[in-house]
Amino acid sequence: MTTTPSVPVVMTLAGHDPTGGAGIQADIESILSMGCHPVSVITTITVQDTSDVIGIAPLDAELIVQQARAVLEDMPVAAVKIGMIGSVEGVQAIHTLLTDYPDLPVVLDPVLASGAGTALATEEMVDAINSLLLPFTTLLTPNSPEARVLAQGCDTLDACAMFLLEQGCEYVLITGTHENTARVQNVLYGNHRRLEAYPVDRLSGEYHGSGCTLSAAIAALLAQGIEPASAVHEALTYTWHSLDRAHRLGMGQLIPNRLFWAGDESEDEDPADDDTAHF
């Protein structure tokens, strides 16, 4: 007998971060916060603290596939979020899964380097992501350095976005925290053009897992049937509040408080509409 789940199921394929700040743990918290049920497939075991990634051990590609299929054949997954993959073989494994489930909304956060700049992807992995995963991607969420790596040779971020759209993804959201601008410019592209900008002021800290927070939240909102532009706006607002209430738990970057809504602080403020907000 087929039953309809009381909440949408969202699958995350990402690395394990022992600090709990990024990767699988960050995705789980974000997906739960958006009102969905998270299911997780670990792609890579990492050795890291809140300052940097020290080492990675990608899981065997067949194990990635087995983890995912066990859930996909049992539960009605409504959306997929992809984060750190760790190897070309992992990219190929995920390509196989997406080929078998082509109708699922897919949010791809191309984790190519740590927050401290340590490379987490080879040139071969970048090529594989472009050719094997972007054609299945509903929404790609690179930061500006990642966009430039994925679209090498492009001289502007707008050009990077157009190149990435041409690879087959439906939407591209380039986040602008790494750019030297007074306000952070987060820009959504689709239909071969620039669709909408989401400018907000900056927070002063450095954060561990902000990209994971954003992309997982978008995936959860897409799983609920929310259209992409609205999902991006809501997820950016949620991410800003998570960063604004971040915890100092280690000696490196702050860890977002993705469960801020469970406390007593007000969550009604929209940082995109507030001149005093920071991001």
Side-chain angles (χ1 to χ4, degrees):
M1 181 175 63
T2 301
T3 60
T4 301
S6 57
V7 294
V9 177
V10 178
M11 173 174 285
T12 169
L13 300 98
H16 175 269
D17 173 10
T19 75
I24 286 287
Q25 293 95 320
D27 293 345
I28 288 171
E29 290 182 352
S30 295
I31 291 165
L32 282 170
S33 291
M34 293 294 103
C36 295
H37 176 76
V39 295
S40 57
V41 173
I42 295 177
T43 59
T44 307
I45 301 297
T46 74
V47 179
Q48 63 180 297
D49 54 24
T50 56
S51 296
D52 201 2
V53 176
I54 301 162
I56 65 172
L59 266 65
D60 180 79
E62 184 58 30
L63 186 55
I64 294 173
V65 171
Q66 290 174 352
Q67 288 180 83
R69 286 201 190 282
V71 176
L72 287 164
E73 293 173 5
D74 179 54
M75 304 172 74
V77 173
V80 172
K81 176 265 165 91
I82 303 168
M84 181 181 180
I85 302 172
S87 69
V88 171
E89 293 76 15
V91 174
Q92 294 167 339
I94 295 172
H95 167 79
T96 298
L97 292 167
L98 298 182
T99 300
D100 290 342
Y101 295 87
D103 298 327
L104 286 176
V106 175
V107 177
L108 172 57
D109 176 18
V111 180
L112 306 181
S114 71
T118 300
L120 300 175
T122 63
E123 289 186 14
E124 292 77 15
M125 277 188 61
V126 170
D127 291 341
I129 289 170
N130 280 348
S131 62
L132 298 180
L133 299 187
L134 293 196
F136 292 93
T137 298
T138 306
L139 199 151
L140 181 70
T141 64
N143 58 36
S144 53
E146 291 166 342
R148 293 187 177 98
V149 171
L150 291 170
Q152 291 186 20
C154 295
D155 56 357
T156 67
L157 289 176
D158 286 347
C160 289
M162 293 306 107
F163 173 86
L164 295 170
L165 289 171
E166 289 169 2
Q167 305 315 298
C169 53
E170 191 172 353
Y171 296 94
V172 176
L173 172 67
I174 298 182
T175 56
T177 55
H178 292 78
E179 298 301 290
N180 185 23
T181 54
R183 304 187 80 201
V184 175
Q185 300 295 322
N186 306 298
V187 184
L188 180 66
Y189 302 84
N191 195 26
H192 307 290
R193 62 190 178 90
R194 181 179 175 130
L195 295 178
E196 189 170 355
Y198 306 85
V200 292
D201 292 348
R202 294 180 181 269
L203 284 166
S204 59
E206 296 291 332
Y207 303 92
H208 187 56
S210 56
C212 306
T213 305
L214 174 63
S215 55
I218 294 172
L221 292 164
L222 294 180
Q224 298 174 58
I226 297 174
E227 58 90 19
S230 296
V232 166
H233 184 275
E234 185 172 342
L236 282 167
T237 300
Y238 164 74
T239 301
W240 179 86
H241 284 297
S242 297
L243 303 185
D244 187 48
R245 294 163 170 82
H247 303 295
R248 171 68 68 187
L249 299 177
M251 293 184 289
Q253 296 176 319
L254 298 165
I255 292 181
N257 179 6
R258 287 171 281 261
L259 303 179
F260 66 86
W261 46 265
D264 295 328
E265 297 176 277
S266 172
E267 59 181 276
D268 295 330
E269 182 184 31
D270 186 338
D273 299 328
D274 179 12
D275 290 338
T276 65
H278 301 277
F279 186 65

